[in-house]
Amino acid sequence: MQDFDDIYAHVPADIPAWIEGLSLAMTIDGADADPVALVDVIHACDEQVIAQSPDAGLHHVDQAVDAARAAFPAWAGAPWTERRNLLETFADRLWDARVTLALLIAAEAGRPLRRAMSEIFFAVDYVRTIAAQELAETRYELGPMRARLTHKPLGVVGAIAPWNGPVILAVAKIANALLAGDTQILRPSPFTPLSALYMGMIARDIFPRGVFNVITGDAQVGAAMTTHPRIAKISFTGSTATGRLIAAAAAPTLKRLTLELGGNDAAIVLPDANIDLLCDAVYRISLENAGQFCACVKRLYVHETVYDAVVKGLGERLRAARPGSCFDAATTMTPIQNRKQFERVWHLIDDAVDRGGAILCGAQRHGGAGLFVPPTLVGNVDHGVALVDEEQFGPVLPLIPFRDEEAALRDANRGEMGLGGSIWTADVEHGLRLAERMECGTAWVNQHGAFSAALPMPFAKQSGIGTDYAQFGVAEHSRMMLVNARL
């Protein structure tokens, strides 16, 4: 992670007043769109209102579609290099605005400011990496026939982004669609609208009017986008349950879909694993960010010979976590972003204990303000307990000892989700062989959640539809066309 300690010198004395001074607005056809109302944005570190966000009505969906459709022919006809260059300019402008964007993420998501700044760093890299992708033409010669396969833009694309990565999970959707030649309507999560609104305002001076639009709103707005007959595709990141609803709603219009859904990733720790490497990674990826990452370790299968060492190593790291204001450099613990999810995480902990689970570390209720759940390890649980069977999306990790690696692999492959998984071992070749047998879209050896926009992100089981990132994410925002001539 980059060293962004100097970011704390930029924290305004009055955050709500500073946000109000930004005059954040929805972007439709390159201009402000008047909201139907203002809605409160709650700061997870203290549950106080930190800002008010414009709220869209259903008519804003139609307005945004009209603007995007009007802009589509010229944008689709623009040279690939022109679209690429504008995306690179967008990345430059995001980096120039990194302090503002990081402060907005911290405010709306409650994330410690250093981690918020890290999200901007990776988001800018994602835009630049995706902008560099190509969709090559394929030529065929079959006797007297000469054919070529090309990629054509789809039209208007709807993007629905989640609250756990309000910038990085939005910009990948933006870059994929705009590079492919589509125009786009982005609807951020109603929990974290601020950074997306600001990105929309940045984009006005870069892209032609109507190419990129940002509207806010609740599930009704998302549903209107999903069923809209003039939106050609929906790209969604969120829960599997919501993904099922989107797939069903999109079926009557046969929309293209890219769905990055839930994960219940398993990690298998073999006897020869590097325990320090494992514990550092699990804490950083799965617990420090309060488990609010789709592809983090959510089930930890540990060989019985190293089980105690793993509990000890993780416990040392967990006990050092510090809750507090996200604008304080001493804070390392991230709160749960919203109260509904906060209550669900505690329910999973209480349910596990009621079913015989043992708290190995954590689980003390935070006495101060904010939606903090201390990083928690739970032992003596197995399949049949909700904490193991379901995606917790919180800083609570079940540790399950095993003796036989084949049995551990079978247990890791249980369930309906298949986003990611990992094997931890000093024998990398053996780890690779086991990883290839994991039923997931991405399997790692001696790492977890290590993504790059230069690498594809496939999905398995009910963790998603389609493939994201690299040239595959761009291709999913296009349609193939074959032109065939007889000589």
Side-chain angles (χ1 to χ4, degrees):
M1 184 177 295
Q2 299 295 304
D3 184 3
F4 296 129
D5 286 342
D6 63 339
I7 184 70
Y8 292 94
H10 298 277
V11 176
D14 187 336
I15 297 291
W18 172 78
I19 295 174
E20 184 177 2
L22 295 175
S23 300
L24 298 175
M26 294 184 290
T27 296
I28 298 179
D29 201 23
D32 286 2
D34 293 332
V36 297
L38 296 175
V39 296
D40 292 340
V41 178
I42 306 299
H43 185 50
C45 290
D46 58 14
E47 289 196 274
Q48 298 300 306
V49 175
I50 203 162
Q52 288 194 309
S53 169
D55 195 28
L58 297 183
H59 66 283
H60 287 108
V61 178
D62 288 327
Q63 291 174 2
V65 170
D66 288 344
R69 280 180 61 86
F72 174 69
W75 183 249
W80 190 274
T81 53
E82 179 180 331
R83 299 198 295 262
R84 167 180 291 155
N85 290 339
L86 290 178
L87 279 170
E88 290 175 345
T89 300
F90 183 53
D92 291 342
R93 291 288 301 279
L94 292 178
W95 184 247
D96 291 342
R98 61 191 179 275
V99 171
T100 299
L101 284 168
L103 288 166
L104 288 174
I105 291 174
E108 63 189 357
R111 191 168 305 154
L113 191 52
R114 187 181 295 105
R115 289 191 66 96
M117 188 59 141
S118 181
E119 178 172 337
I120 304 304
F121 176 85
F122 288 111
V124 170
D125 179 70
Y126 270 39
V127 175
R128 290 175 175 155
T129 301
I130 292 171
Q133 304 304 309
E134 300 277 358
L135 292 183
E137 179 182 279
T138 304
R139 292 181 177 271
Y140 303 87
E141 293 185 11
L142 301 173
M145 290 191 296
R146 299 293 183 269
R148 67 176 185 269
L149 186 70
T150 61
H151 294 265
K152 300 291 185 181
L154 292 173
V156 180
V157 169
I160 302 176
W163 48 260
N164 61 309
V167 170
I168 195 167
L169 295 176
V171 298
K173 299 179 188 301
I174 296 167
N176 283 332
L178 270 55
L179 183 64
D182 300 325
T183 53
Q184 188 177 63
I185 303 164
L186 171 66
R187 196 226 71 173
S189 166
F191 292 119
T192 54
L194 306 178
S195 54
L197 292 170
Y198 192 69
M199 287 194 293
M201 295 168 69
I202 289 173
R204 295 179 192 178
D205 296 331
I206 302 169
F207 303 109
R209 291 178 55 174
V211 167
F212 178 55
N213 308 272
V214 180
I215 60 175
T216 52
D218 58 14
Q220 286 187 322
V221 171
M225 291 171 60
T226 302
T227 58
H228 202 290
R230 294 184 295 164
I231 292 180
K233 176 185 174 71
I234 294 290
S235 176
F236 168 79
T237 301
S239 72
T240 295
T242 303
R244 293 189 189 112
L245 295 175
I246 287 175
T253 52
L254 291 179
K255 282 182 175 53
R256 311 288 181 103
L257 295 173
T258 298
L259 304 178
E260 181 196 341
L261 306 178
N264 193 10
D265 290 13
I268 299 176
V269 185
L270 299 183
D272 60 349
N274 183 322
I275 303 303
D276 283 336
L277 178 68
L278 167 79
C279 292
D280 283 344
V282 170
Y283 176 69
R284 184 181 70 256
I285 299 297
S286 302
L287 297 169
E288 190 179 46
N289 195 36
Q292 297 171 126
F293 176 40
C294 295
C296 65
V297 177
K298 299 188 173 101
R299 293 175 290 153
L300 192 59
Y301 296 89
V302 184
H303 194 274
E304 60 185 13
T305 60
V306 293
Y307 183 85
D308 289 343
V310 170
V311 172
K312 179 177 183 292
L314 284 174
E316 290 171 351
R317 290 158 176 81
L318 267 57
R319 281 185 281 271
R322 294 290 179 266
S325 169
C326 62
F327 301 110
D328 184 343
T331 298
T332 61
M333 189 186 298
T334 303
I336 303 297
Q337 197 281 328
N338 59 82
R339 176 154 286 278
K340 180 179 179 181
Q341 183 62 22
F342 173 81
E343 297 294 348
R344 181 177 184 276
V345 172
W346 276 113
H347 169 75
L348 290 172
I349 295 172
D350 294 340
D351 175 74
V353 172
D354 289 344
R355 292 172 178 270
I359 301 299
L360 306 175
C361 182
Q364 297 87 12
R365 292 267 180 174
H366 177 57
L371 301 175
F372 292 97
V373 176
T376 299
L377 306 178
V378 181
N380 200 37
V381 289
D382 209 331
H383 294 274
V385 176
L387 182 63
V388 177
D389 294 346
E390 300 176 13
E391 179 181 32
Q392 62 270 54
F393 223 69
V396 185
L397 185 61
L399 273 66
I400 305 169
F402 71 89
R403 180 173 299 173
D404 176 63
E405 70 179 37
E406 288 295 324
L409 184 62
R410 286 194 299 272
D411 285 344
N413 286 335
R414 287 195 192 189
E416 65 183 19
M417 296 181 185
L419 193 57
S422 60
I423 306 292
W424 298 78
T425 175
D427 186 344
V428 173
E429 290 303 318
H430 180 61
L432 287 169
R433 289 192 295 271
L434 285 178
E436 288 174 353
R437 296 170 58 197
M438 300 191 87
E439 296 174 2
C440 55
T442 301
W444 294 275
V445 177
N446 295 330
Q447 57 182 352
H448 201 109
F451 290 107
S452 167
L455 297 173
M457 182 184 182
F459 312 117
K461 297 183 177 179
Q462 295 193 38
S463 284
I465 294 175
T467 303
D468 211 349
Y469 303 144
Q471 73 271 29
F472 300 94
V474 182
E476 292 233 344
H477 286 74
S478 67
R479 61 178 177 84
M480 290 188 289
M481 180 178 182
L482 186 74
V483 178
N484 193 343
R486 184 179 182 87
L487 299 182

